[in-house]
Amino acid sequence: MTRRPRSNRTFLLVGVLVALLLAGVVSYYASSRPDGLEKVAADKGLDRGEEEHDLADSPLADYQTDEVGNERLSGGLAGVIGVSATLLLGTGVFWVVRRLPRSQGPRTGPADPGRG
Amino acid sequence: MHVPDGFIDAPVSVAAGAVAVAGVALSLRGARRELDERTAPLAGLVASFIFAVQMLNFPVASGTSGHLLGGALAAILVGPYTGVLCLSVVLLMQGLLFADGGLTALGVNITDMAIVGVPVAYGVFRLLITVLPANRRSFTVAAFTAALVSVPTAAGAFTLLYALGGVTDVPLGTVAASMIGVHLLIGIGEGVITALTVGSVLAVRPDLVYGAERLRVPLQLRTTPATGGGR
């Protein structure tokens, strides 16, 4: 197979920019109607036992940033923070997964330390 | 479809948490085989992209909206095990940072959307890719259908957990019918977004799409005996 000369960097960069744009700008135009589960829960009474979220006072609760009055900015900032945080955690997790020793590799390691 | 606290009782929430932990552990093992140096960074991007698109609620029937879950999208782009991890990361972030999806319900949410949703989506995709002719249109059809099916399936998984440990006593038939019904509609949006997204990636970088190996020039399997056996 021919090796592709193109690096992934451009692709990843464009991907991150698209995600930031969607969460930071386009999200303002998202529907604010209740989602499928919220609607069913409210209509049929599944939510009678609903408890407030333990972190309902968190500075980013409900995708709004505390202390930011402008709704567009507040939501956009929350989106940008969310995309960045997810990218960091995700990249970190997959970086670690990639480097975990492969216990079930087709071959054993080059040298078996000790133990005859 | 983010379940808040107080919908599902403690025992079933704990059990779902155990299922989620087991599923994530299994996926951590499986993902090692799916990820290489090129695709590992892509997986992080897929998680953040799903987070972004989950913010984009689109209107469906009467006074309701829906958003992408992303199970099919992740499974097709980076593989099913990695896909489970992508969705789990997203759900964890949403619960911890944005108070979206209860903390005691995190296991329920990971179970419904990641542990059930992703493999079902990938299974449907694989099945269709196998039976349909190997071309771009089949790929799009398979991606759309896999995404469409995965959403009501996740809703069905929620209904099952509700049957086992629902805090309220709404008749099960009502819960099943309304949950699966509305999520079938949301599934259409899921299908469109998934087909558009994987189609776009396929157009520019087919080599990065996990589920597209049949569309690529087949790799040559060389059967010449290895000389030296790795030194």
Side-chain angles (χ1 to χ4, degrees):
Chain A
M1 207 167 92
T2 52
R3 186 177 280 256
R4 275 185 174 254
R6 292 161 74 185
S7 81
N8 285 347
R9 199 178 301 167
T10 314
F11 180 85
L12 292 172
L13 210 66
V14 171
V16 170
L17 281 177
V18 170
L20 287 172
L21 200 69
L22 292 176
V25 180
V26 181
S27 63
Y28 181 75
Y29 302 96
S31 169
S32 52
R33 294 174 179 179
D35 77 11
L37 174 65
E38 288 166 351
K39 175 77 170 152
V40 170
D43 285 357
K44 312 293 178 193
L46 268 70
D47 59 354
R48 283 192 294 263
E50 181 171 348
E51 295 155 22
E52 196 182 34
H53 199 284
D54 294 314
L55 304 174
D57 297 330
S58 105
L60 294 169
D62 293 322
Y63 302 92
Q64 295 293 317
T65 315
D66 258 5
E67 314 274 333
V68 179
N70 183 314
E71 199 187 325
R72 188 188 285 264
L73 264 180
S74 177
L77 191 58
V80 166
I81 293 172
V83 165
S84 311
T86 310
L87 185 68
L88 277 177
L89 179 64
T91 305
V93 165
F94 295 119
W95 190 85
V96 171
V97 168
R98 185 68 202 108
R99 272 152 191 82
L100 286 175
R102 294 181 176 226
S103 55
Q104 290 182 318
R107 293 174 191 172
T108 50
D112 212 19
R115 285 221 209 165
Chain B
M1 205 193 295
H2 293 57
V3 179
D5 294 317
F7 274 31
I8 306 290
D9 67 18
V12 174
S13 296
V14 170
V19 170
V21 167
V24 167
L26 188 74
S27 302
L28 283 168
R29 289 171 68 94
R32 280 182 302 184
R33 270 173 275 129
E34 291 172 349
L35 296 171
D36 59 32
E37 294 304 331
R38 286 176 324 126
T39 54
L42 183 67
L45 170 62
V46 166
S48 68
F49 183 81
I50 289 174
F51 173 89
V53 182
Q54 285 208 358
M55 287 181 75
L56 308 179
N57 284 59
F58 49 85
V60 289
S62 59
T64 314
S65 74
H67 62 71
L68 180 88
L69 299 186
L73 180 75
I76 296 168
L77 286 181
V78 288
Y81 291 108
T82 310
V84 167
L85 298 179
C86 284
L87 254 72
S88 302
V89 164
V90 169
L91 290 166
L92 184 69
M93 284 320 231
Q94 289 168 331
L96 286 180
L97 288 183
F98 300 93
D100 189 14
L103 294 184
T104 63
L106 186 61
V108 170
N109 284 318
I110 290 182
T111 300
D112 291 350
M113 289 182 262
I115 311 289
V116 173
V118 173
V120 165
Y122 192 68
V124 171
F125 175 78
R126 255 317 13 137
L127 183 75
L128 289 175
I129 279 293
T130 313
V131 298
L132 295 173
N135 58 37
R136 289 277 292 276
R137 179 182 298 186
S138 303
F139 186 88
T140 307
V141 169
F144 175 86
T145 313
L148 169 64
V149 170
S150 70
V151 181
T153 303
F158 165 78
T159 307
L160 205 64
L161 291 177
Y162 182 82
L164 294 171
V167 167
T168 47
D169 52 357
V170 181
L172 271 186
T174 309
V175 177
S178 38
M179 276 301 283
I180 293 170
V182 69
H183 286 96
L184 204 55
L185 292 176
I186 296 172
I188 297 172
E190 177 100 10
V192 170
I193 297 170
T194 303
L196 283 175
T197 307
V198 298
S200 307
V201 180
L202 195 66
V204 292
R205 291 299 299 271
D207 58 314
L208 290 181
V209 179
Y210 180 88
E213 69 260 44
R214 259 180 40 114
L215 294 182
R216 291 183 214 130
V217 181
L219 283 170
Q220 289 180 355
L221 263 182
R222 301 197 174 188
T223 50
T224 41
T227 47
R231 272 178 289 168

